[in-house]
Amino acid sequence: MAYRKVAIAGATGNLGPSIVNELVNQGFEVTVLTASGNTSGLPSAIKVIKVDFSSQESLVSALRGQEAFISAIPKHDQQPALIDAAIAAGVKRFIPSEFGSNIVGNEKARALPVFAGKVKTQEYLRTKQDQISYTIVTTGLFLDWGIGLGWLVNLKGKTQINDNGDSVHSFTLLSDIGKAVAGILNHPEETKNRGVYVQTAALSQNQALKIAQKVNPDFKAETEHVDLAEEEKNAYAELSKENGNIGSAMVTFIKISIFKEGYGNLWNEKNDNELLGVKSLSEAEVGDLIAKYF
Ligand SMILES: NC(=O)c1ccc[n+]([C@@H]2O[C@H](COP(=O)([O-])OP(=O)(O)OC[C@H]3O[C@@H](n4cnc5c(N)ncnc54)[C@H](OP(=O)(O)O)[C@@H]3O)[C@@H](O)[C@H]2O)c1
């Protein structure tokens, strides 16, 4: 039976509002747990509880009566405490803050230092699965966010072409991640204790550049080549320095997981789109999307 009463933490960030909006539109009873109390941009049909995320008591009290708990917080290694609170409150399903690269199914992605907190959370969930079930959502780079950021194609400057730019990867719109989460809650049995994969489009950077030129013939693509193996070496070198640039190294690891071959970043053959109600975009629809960013 579907879970209808759901709580979410991290609702006000880059991803959270897309999940909250879809859940509210589908008639779920949504409770937002917030540290800041700021809920701007969220629909009014939600219950808001201000919590102290460092207090188990505060979390358990906010989670009582909820059937599922979605985490979209950026501090991944803080999630075991959220899982413990969810168990104590009797929550049935935990959806951790993943929503990105394929660290469930690919050992190389899993070993990247940037994902240590996500890996720790996954391992913790597996040890607790007799007390709370889980679903891990793998999406690839957020398609719309990635275009806005210039990572897939840069419409305002030079596109960094990772390796040869021809390998194809899976990407998902923020709104489709909302649909995927609703799909999990509508299909708890089929999604129990496993990773699910969704994608809105499978594209290479060179294909995306061609589409951009087609929708805007005035667009002159400027590119620069990035050798990801070289970047990876440099990123590990930064980590080993006393005052290395950790932030930049972490961004490199994220890009490697999204764009480098061998990191399991394509699931167009086998995914959970149909089960979870996510549709793939046609090339023309990807063009309509890209056109919005000129
Ligand atoms: N695939 C991709 O392209 C992609 C891109 C970006 C992010 N992601 C993933 O998506 C997930 C969400 O990321 P995001 O960028 O949406 O997050 P975010 O914007 O950095 O933060 C989301 C919200 O979490 C709450 N928060 C912050 N620190 C917290 C803490 N220590 N404890 C509890 N709540 C805290 C804040 O809301 P309140 O103050 O209201 O509580 C904040 O607005 C992450 O797992 C991230 O790795 C994936």
Side-chain angles (χ1 to χ4, degrees), residues 88-101:
V91 174
K92 297 187 179 77
R93 175 68 49 94
F94 189 87
I95 300 179
S97 191
E98 281 279 339
F99 313 108
S101 297

Side-chain angles (χ1 to χ4, degrees), residues 88-242:
V91 174
K92 297 187 179 77
R93 175 68 49 94
F94 189 87
I95 300 179
S97 191
E98 281 279 339
F99 313 108
S101 297
N102 185 8
I103 62 172
V104 178
N106 183 281
E107 282 306 318
K108 285 167 86 172
R110 200 172 173 79
L112 291 168
V114 68
F115 298 131
K118 288 186 173 182
V119 170
K120 177 179 157 188
T121 303
Q122 288 185 9
E123 284 168 356
Y124 196 70
L125 279 169
R126 287 194 186 101
T127 67
K128 298 285 175 181
Q129 66 185 35
D130 54 338
Q131 295 168 69
I132 191 165
S133 63
Y134 66 85
T135 310
I136 295 161
V137 187
T138 300
T139 62
L141 177 67
F142 301 161
L143 179 58
D144 32 6
W145 196 76
I147 297 170
L149 213 62
W151 278 20
L152 176 59
V153 275
N154 189 342
L155 307 174
K156 314 269 185 220
K158 270 190 188 158
T159 298
Q160 293 197 328
I161 297 289
N162 296 294
D163 293 335
N164 65 15
D166 284 328
S167 52
V168 176
H169 314 292
S170 296
F171 302 97
T172 307
L173 285 171
L174 286 161
S175 57
D176 281 340
I177 298 175
K179 287 188 185 129
V181 170
I184 292 165
L185 301 172
N186 284 324
H187 298 280
E189 275 311 309
E190 299 95 316
T191 56
K192 187 175 176 181
N193 297 339
R194 71 172 179 100
V196 296
Y197 291 78
V198 287
Q199 64 165 44
T200 307
L203 282 170
S204 72
Q205 287 190 281
N206 288 336
Q207 282 170 338
L209 279 173
K210 272 201 191 122
I211 295 172
Q213 276 161 335
K214 201 165 157 186
V215 295
N216 181 357
D218 292 335
F219 172 58
K220 302 271 176 284
E222 285 181 64
T223 59
E224 63 186 340
H225 173 250
V226 173
D227 180 334
L228 287 176
E230 191 62 31
E231 295 282 308
E232 187 170 16
K233 221 167 26 178
N234 295 340
Y236 278 109
E238 286 302 317
L239 287 195
S240 66
K241 286 183 195 162
E242 201 174 322

Side-chain angles (χ1 to χ4, degrees), residues 10 12-15 34-36 72-73 75-76 78 97 99 118 140 142:
T12 54
N14 295 304
L15 170 64
T34 162
S36 65
I73 69 168
K75 300 280 181 208
H76 304 117
Q78 291 179 5
S97 191
F99 313 108
K118 288 186 173 182
F142 301 161

